[in-house]
Amino acid sequence: MGRIISFLRGPFFIYLIMVIFSGNYLPAQNSDGNPELDRKVEAFLKSKKNRWHDLNVPDTDGKLLYDIIIKNGYTSGLEIGTSTGHSAIWIAWAMSKTKGKLITIEIDESRYKEAISNFEEAGLSKYIDARLANAHDLVKELKGPFDFVFSDADKDWYTNYFIDVVPKLKTGGCFAAHNVRPPGAGGISGTKAYLSYVMGLENFTTTVNNSGGGLAISIKTD
Ligand SMILES: C[S@@+](CC[C@H](N)C(=O)[O-])C[C@H]1O[C@@H](n2cnc3c(N)ncnc32)[C@H](O)[C@@H]1O
């Protein structure tokens, strides 16, 4: 008990509390990047914290997408389901470091317009090609190739999006799908069918990260 009390009074605990309350949950930046852009994106994300109300991903999932892109050096992104742009901002921020670009698709005009204004405010417009379209059609039409895809629109169409994208996904590329829970942990019917489909494929390795809204991460192995 004495040890717990001295830990709670200790400098590490105080530091931890300061980090949590300062909102400083954002990734560490490397010094040879673009510190001005980093500051702008961080300030934007901080100003919008807890203010994303259009089915947007939680911060934890945004950070997860960011980390996957940085770790693998992905440069050609596709997002299906922009909404007002929270996940696209994390993806594009990562791609500002890998020198990549993101195409993102949204069907709802008012969300699309709000996303455009958010991209501008975050300073990330030049890394994002935002399209107002029905992804059922546009995903088929886009040429690719892509090395990172984030699927977050209509869940009943997940398997169709995947089938349409796979020929345009590079080997080593990632297809990440949101709101997917691990086998046996529930989930929405469309995403359950999707997970069982991708898990049955020999040329993909799929894991599910359950730390936020549930992310199925499928890597194309050949
Ligand atoms: C869960 S939200 C996306 C959230 C976003 N990824 C974020 O984190 O900020 C899903 C979005 O997909 C859009 N959507 C649904 N069906 C679509 C379709 N067929 N084509 C394009 N967008 C679609 C919806 O309008 C909605 O804004």
Side-chain angles (χ1 to χ4, degrees), residues 52 54-58 79-88 105-108 111 133-136 150 152-155 157 161 178-179:
W52 295 100
D54 291 277
L55 308 168
N56 311 90
V57 296
E79 176 180 61
I80 308 167
T82 319
S83 183
T84 47
H86 190 206
S87 46
I105 311 169
E106 173 56 51
I107 201 169
D108 180 285
R111 286 183 184 164
N134 186 339
H136 293 194
F150 179 49
D152 195 21
D154 40 346
K155 313 306 171 201
W157 211 257
Y161 288 134
H178 201 231
N179 301 121

Side-chain angles (χ1 to χ4, degrees), residues 167-181:
K168 309 169 201 179
L169 186 67
K170 292 180 184 170
T171 301
C174 172
F175 191 103
H178 201 231
N179 301 121
V180 180
R181 292 295 176 190

Side-chain angles (χ1 to χ4, degrees), residues 1-16:
M1 190 62 179
R3 272 198 193 156
I4 295 173
I5 289 167
S6 64
F7 169 75
L8 291 178
R9 283 196 190 128
F12 175 72
F13 182 75
I14 292 166
Y15 170 74
L16 199 65

Side-chain angles (χ1 to χ4, degrees), residues 31-108:
S31 53
D32 58 354
N34 182 341
E36 201 181 313
L37 178 62
D38 291 338
R39 274 194 294 276
K40 194 164 181 177
V41 180
E42 283 174 7
F44 175 77
L45 286 173
K46 208 168 165 183
S47 75
K48 292 279 284 182
K49 194 163 167 59
N50 302 323
R51 293 178 57 212
W52 295 100
H53 303 303
D54 291 277
L55 308 168
N56 311 90
V57 296
D59 291 334
T60 43
D61 288 338
K63 170 77 167 59
L64 185 57
L65 299 172
Y66 175 100
D67 287 342
I68 293 170
I69 293 163
I70 297 285
K71 185 176 154 213
N72 294 284
Y74 293 139
T75 57
S76 42
L78 171 66
E79 176 180 61
I80 308 167
T82 319
S83 183
T84 47
H86 190 206
S87 46
I89 281 171
W90 283 95
I91 296 168
W93 189 16
M95 291 206 169
S96 75
K97 293 167 193 299
T98 60
K99 301 189 172 27
K101 191 149 181 171
L102 170 72
I103 296 176
T104 181
I105 311 169
E106 173 56 51
I107 201 169
D108 180 285

